[in-house]
Structure formats: structure tokens, C-alpha cells
Short mmCIF file of all heavy atoms in Angstrom, two decimals:
data_model
loop_
_atom_site.label_atom_id
_atom_site.label_comp_id
_atom_site.label_asym_id
_atom_site.label_seq_id
_atom_site.Cartn_x
_atom_site.Cartn_y
_atom_site.Cartn_z
N GLY A 1 -6.81 12.24 -10.04
CA GLY A 1 -6.01 11.10 -10.19
C GLY A 1 -6.52 9.87 -9.42
O GLY A 1 -7.34 10.04 -8.51
N THR A 2 -6.02 8.72 -9.78
CA THR A 2 -6.49 7.49 -9.13
C THR A 2 -5.14 6.73 -8.70
O THR A 2 -4.19 6.59 -9.47
CB THR A 2 -7.22 6.58 -10.14
OG1 THR A 2 -8.38 7.34 -10.55
CG2 THR A 2 -7.78 5.31 -9.42
N VAL A 3 -5.29 6.15 -7.53
CA VAL A 3 -4.10 5.39 -6.91
C VAL A 3 -4.67 4.27 -6.14
O VAL A 3 -5.72 4.27 -5.56
CB VAL A 3 -3.19 6.31 -6.03
CG1 VAL A 3 -3.94 6.72 -4.85
CG2 VAL A 3 -1.85 5.61 -5.73
N ASN A 4 -3.93 3.14 -6.08
CA ASN A 4 -4.31 2.00 -5.29
C ASN A 4 -4.19 2.40 -3.81
O ASN A 4 -3.25 3.04 -3.35
CB ASN A 4 -3.40 0.87 -5.57
CG ASN A 4 -3.88 -0.46 -5.02
OD1 ASN A 4 -4.15 -0.58 -3.83
ND2 ASN A 4 -3.93 -1.50 -5.89
N MET A 5 -5.23 2.09 -3.04
CA MET A 5 -5.25 2.42 -1.66
C MET A 5 -4.09 1.69 -0.82
O MET A 5 -3.85 2.31 0.24
CB MET A 5 -6.61 2.12 -0.98
CG MET A 5 -6.86 0.61 -0.92
SD MET A 5 -8.38 0.23 0.05
CE MET A 5 -9.61 1.19 -0.79
N ALA A 6 -3.50 0.79 -1.34
CA ALA A 6 -2.33 0.15 -0.67
C ALA A 6 -1.06 0.74 -1.03
O ALA A 6 -0.07 0.31 -0.48
CB ALA A 6 -2.37 -1.37 -0.99
N TYR A 7 -0.97 1.75 -1.82
CA TYR A 7 0.18 2.31 -2.28
C TYR A 7 0.78 3.29 -1.14
O TYR A 7 0.09 4.06 -0.58
CB TYR A 7 -0.04 3.25 -3.53
CG TYR A 7 1.17 3.99 -3.95
CD1 TYR A 7 2.29 3.38 -4.44
CD2 TYR A 7 1.23 5.33 -3.89
CE1 TYR A 7 3.47 4.08 -4.89
CE2 TYR A 7 2.35 6.08 -4.25
CZ TYR A 7 3.40 5.45 -4.80
OH TYR A 7 4.55 6.19 -5.19
N ASP A 8 2.16 3.08 -0.90
CA ASP A 8 2.83 3.91 0.02
C ASP A 8 3.84 4.70 -0.64
O ASP A 8 4.83 4.18 -1.22
CB ASP A 8 3.51 3.01 1.05
CG ASP A 8 4.07 3.78 2.15
OD1 ASP A 8 4.40 5.03 2.04
OD2 ASP A 8 4.16 3.26 3.41
N PRO A 9 3.65 6.13 -0.77
CA PRO A 9 4.57 6.95 -1.50
C PRO A 9 6.05 6.90 -1.07
O PRO A 9 6.94 7.05 -1.79
CB PRO A 9 3.95 8.30 -1.40
CG PRO A 9 2.48 8.13 -0.96
CD PRO A 9 2.52 6.90 -0.09
N GLU A 10 6.21 6.62 0.30
CA GLU A 10 7.60 6.59 0.76
C GLU A 10 8.24 5.32 0.71
O GLU A 10 9.49 5.23 0.67
CB GLU A 10 7.50 7.16 2.24
CG GLU A 10 7.06 8.63 2.36
CD GLU A 10 7.10 9.06 3.84
OE1 GLU A 10 7.02 8.17 4.72
OE2 GLU A 10 7.25 10.33 4.01
N TYR A 11 7.41 4.25 0.82
CA TYR A 11 8.03 2.88 0.72
C TYR A 11 7.16 2.09 -0.33
O TYR A 11 6.20 1.35 -0.02
CB TYR A 11 7.94 2.24 2.01
CG TYR A 11 8.66 2.93 3.13
CD1 TYR A 11 7.97 3.78 4.01
CD2 TYR A 11 10.00 2.85 3.31
CE1 TYR A 11 8.63 4.47 4.97
CE2 TYR A 11 10.71 3.51 4.26
CZ TYR A 11 10.05 4.35 5.06
OH TYR A 11 10.68 5.08 6.12
N PRO A 12 7.44 2.19 -1.57
CA PRO A 12 6.65 1.53 -2.57
C PRO A 12 6.57 0.06 -2.53
O PRO A 12 5.55 -0.56 -2.95
CB PRO A 12 7.34 2.03 -3.90
CG PRO A 12 8.10 3.26 -3.57
CD PRO A 12 8.53 3.10 -2.10
N THR A 13 7.56 -0.56 -1.85
CA THR A 13 7.45 -2.08 -1.78
C THR A 13 6.58 -2.49 -0.61
O THR A 13 6.35 -3.65 -0.44
CB THR A 13 8.85 -2.58 -1.45
OG1 THR A 13 9.48 -2.03 -0.31
CG2 THR A 13 9.79 -2.32 -2.67
N ALA A 14 6.10 -1.62 0.21
CA ALA A 14 5.27 -2.00 1.32
C ALA A 14 3.87 -2.40 0.87
O ALA A 14 3.52 -2.14 -0.29
CB ALA A 14 5.09 -0.77 2.23
N ASN A 15 3.14 -3.14 1.66
CA ASN A 15 1.81 -3.64 1.41
C ASN A 15 1.85 -4.45 0.15
O ASN A 15 0.97 -4.33 -0.87
CB ASN A 15 0.86 -2.45 1.23
CG ASN A 15 0.63 -1.51 2.50
OD1 ASN A 15 0.85 -2.14 3.63
ND2 ASN A 15 0.56 -0.34 2.29
N ALA A 16 2.77 -5.46 0.03
CA ALA A 16 2.83 -6.39 -1.16
C ALA A 16 3.01 -5.55 -2.34
O ALA A 16 2.19 -5.67 -3.40
CB ALA A 16 1.64 -7.21 -1.24
N ASN A 17 4.01 -4.68 -2.33
CA ASN A 17 4.30 -3.75 -3.53
C ASN A 17 3.07 -2.86 -3.86
O ASN A 17 2.82 -2.71 -5.10
CB ASN A 17 4.72 -4.52 -4.75
CG ASN A 17 6.10 -5.27 -4.47
OD1 ASN A 17 6.96 -4.75 -3.82
ND2 ASN A 17 6.22 -6.53 -4.99
N GLY A 18 2.40 -2.39 -2.89
CA GLY A 18 1.25 -1.49 -3.12
C GLY A 18 -0.01 -2.18 -3.79
O GLY A 18 -0.65 -1.48 -4.47
N THR A 19 -0.26 -3.45 -3.43
CA THR A 19 -1.35 -4.15 -4.05
C THR A 19 -2.46 -4.55 -3.08
O THR A 19 -3.72 -4.45 -3.41
CB THR A 19 -0.93 -5.37 -4.75
OG1 THR A 19 -0.28 -6.22 -3.83
CG2 THR A 19 0.11 -5.04 -5.88
N ILE A 20 -2.12 -4.85 -1.76
CA ILE A 20 -3.02 -5.26 -0.75
C ILE A 20 -2.81 -4.54 0.45
O ILE A 20 -1.63 -4.51 1.00
CB ILE A 20 -2.97 -6.84 -0.57
CG1 ILE A 20 -3.33 -7.60 -1.92
CG2 ILE A 20 -3.89 -7.22 0.56
CD1 ILE A 20 -3.12 -9.05 -1.69
N LEU A 21 -3.85 -3.97 1.10
CA LEU A 21 -3.70 -3.34 2.42
C LEU A 21 -4.25 -4.25 3.41
O LEU A 21 -5.48 -4.69 3.33
CB LEU A 21 -4.47 -2.01 2.38
CG LEU A 21 -4.48 -1.09 3.57
CD1 LEU A 21 -3.07 -0.71 3.92
CD2 LEU A 21 -5.45 0.03 3.52
N GLU A 22 -3.45 -4.45 4.44
CA GLU A 22 -3.92 -5.34 5.57
C GLU A 22 -4.48 -4.59 6.69
O GLU A 22 -4.13 -3.47 6.93
CB GLU A 22 -2.74 -6.21 6.06
CG GLU A 22 -2.17 -7.23 4.98
CD GLU A 22 -1.12 -8.11 5.62
OE1 GLU A 22 -0.69 -7.78 6.81
OE2 GLU A 22 -0.71 -9.04 5.01
N ALA A 23 -5.63 -5.29 7.30
CA ALA A 23 -6.30 -4.59 8.51
C ALA A 23 -6.86 -5.73 9.33
O ALA A 23 -7.08 -6.70 8.85
CB ALA A 23 -7.42 -3.63 7.92
N VAL A 24 -7.04 -5.36 10.65
CA VAL A 24 -7.43 -6.32 11.63
C VAL A 24 -8.88 -6.06 11.92
O VAL A 24 -9.20 -4.83 12.32
CB VAL A 24 -6.57 -6.41 12.85
CG1 VAL A 24 -7.08 -7.38 13.88
CG2 VAL A 24 -5.10 -6.66 12.43
N THR A 25 -9.80 -7.00 11.88
CA THR A 25 -11.17 -6.93 12.18
C THR A 25 -11.41 -6.95 13.67
O THR A 25 -10.44 -7.27 14.44
CB THR A 25 -12.02 -7.90 11.43
OG1 THR A 25 -11.66 -9.21 11.94
CG2 THR A 25 -11.80 -7.88 9.94
#
């Protein structure tokens, strides 16, 4: 299977509705 890496199974609305994952450099 394939899934967006920003997808949160418990909170689907997190990470801009599962589209963008934020990280600090």
C-alpha cells in the first residue's frame, strides 16, 4: 500500500489534512 507520509491515522486533519509534514532543520 501507499500513503502520504503526512497522514495521521488517529487525527486525519493533522498536518494540513495529511498533505504536508513539518520538521525543523
Side-chain angles (χ1 to χ4, degrees):
T2 304
V3 66
N4 194 306
M5 66 171 56
Y7 174 69
D8 190 330
E10 295 183 334
Y11 303 98
T13 58
N15 301 327
N17 293 322
T19 57
I20 299 178
L21 179 65
E22 295 184 352
V24 180
T25 62

